Amino acid sequence: MKVIGVTEFGGPEVLGIHEVPEPHAGPGEVRISVRAFAVSPTDTLVRTGQPDTSGVEPPYVPGMDAAGLIDEVGEGVEGWSVGDEVMAMAIPLAGHGGAYVQKLVAPVGSFTRIPANTSLEEASTIPMNGLTATQMLEKVTLAPGQVLAVSGAAGLLGNYLVQLGKAAGLTVIADAADKDRALVESLGADHVVERGPGFADAVRAIVPGGVDALTDASVQREEALPAVRDGGVSIDVRLWKGTGERGIRFEQAVVADEYHSFGKLDALRQRVENRLLTPRVAEVLPAAEASQAHRRLEAGGVRGRFVLVW
């Protein structure tokens, strides 16, 4: 089968199509004929060699989100049939590897049906970012009525944080550049402040004592931290452990921990069906144009996800 991956690390140009043996579903697993897979910032880390690749044979395959049709059902699997349309999370460099593949073997729990009235391309943007947002909101442990600040709100993870935060009854303060303000407002944010160095001051102008929690989707860290009240919570998407100041609790999002979180993934499906969560596709490209998708992603300004299709 064909996969998109790298045999040496570097820029977008190192991504290429490789032939590897076709995998098969084992006990407790299905095999998905992948039709669409989303391109996320985490994928660039695999391409540039930042995770540990020891013990993994090249090509190294990125990708944490896929959607397609089940074409094999392993022994002991109940409730799933060949032909079911599903969306799945994958773990690059571990288990069955990344999602930039024609055939993805997925254990039960790592996939669910795509939302009704949703395309495979749209569904491919949901698992990893949706589960990341879900975990971040669980870890900040806010009650309805408390105040959440979201940095990077115009990006897809930020979109999901705003929408899920509002669904949880939180007051949400989100950032946006002028060109993205209408988008972020449409997600339901209670207040939208200017993106950039003045984020923390703008948040404090609305909530002088500081917000209860910061979900830092744009990795502003020390720059955004003054927005948080003493004793509040800050959660990072790149494992930053924080500064330990002002009694702030620092948490880290580790989405790989959600690989078997079927209940959470299926709840995301239901939220999309209920129009409480909005998948967003920036553009659909052929799989062979993975290098172009990575190059454009790293140039910035993408709203939604590039989705690659076989």
Side-chain angles (χ1 to χ4, degrees), residues 64-276:
M64 299 189 75
D65 294 286
L69 281 69
I70 292 176
D71 69 359
E72 275 187 5
V73 177
E75 181 182 351
V77 174
E78 298 180 353
W80 300 98
S81 303
V82 170
D84 287 345
E85 292 186 321
V86 295
M87 57 185 184
M89 182 174 144
I91 307 291
L93 309 179
H96 295 295
Y100 289 20
V101 297
Q102 289 183 316
K103 306 284 185 180
L104 176 68
V105 172
V108 170
S110 67
F111 61 91
T112 192
R113 287 177 172 80
I114 70 169
N117 302 313
T118 301
S119 69
L120 289 168
E121 290 83 3
E122 290 169 327
S124 74
T125 72
I126 297 168
M128 188 270 287
N129 284 280
L131 288 169
T132 301
T134 298
Q135 184 188 99
M136 292 174 82
L137 291 172
E138 288 177 344
K139 286 189 172 183
V140 299
T141 60
L142 298 187
Q146 289 191 283
V147 185
L148 173 74
V150 179
S151 76
L156 191 61
L157 174 58
N159 288 187
Y160 290 170
L161 285 165
V162 171
Q163 290 187 298
L164 293 175
K166 286 306 300 174
L170 305 180
T171 296
V172 177
I173 303 174
D175 68 347
D178 285 344
K179 64 185 178 65
D180 296 317
R181 179 173 287 270
L183 166 62
V184 175
E185 288 175 343
S186 75
L187 300 171
D190 297 281
H191 307 276
V192 180
V193 301
E194 184 68 22
R195 178 173 179 163
F199 172 76
D201 288 340
V203 170
R204 287 275 184 165
I206 298 167
V207 186
V211 298
D212 298 296
L214 166 69
T215 50
D216 193 10
S218 60
V219 199
Q220 294 187 44
R221 294 181 173 167
E222 290 98 333
E223 191 173 90
L225 193 60
V228 181
R229 65 170 173 81
D230 292 0
V233 189
S234 175
I235 184 163
D236 190 81
V237 293
R238 294 286 174 88
L239 304 180
W240 183 54
K241 297 190 182 298
T243 61
E245 64 181 89
R246 297 192 291 116
I248 293 173
R249 174 165 58 91
F250 291 91
E251 296 281 355
Q252 300 81 40
V254 185
V255 72
D257 292 346
E258 308 295 347
Y259 188 40
H260 295 93
S261 295
F262 172 79
K264 297 177 187 180
L265 185 57
D266 203 55
L268 292 167
R269 174 190 63 79
Q270 294 174 44
R271 289 194 180 280
V272 174
E273 291 183 348
N274 293 333
R275 299 186 179 182
L276 298 173

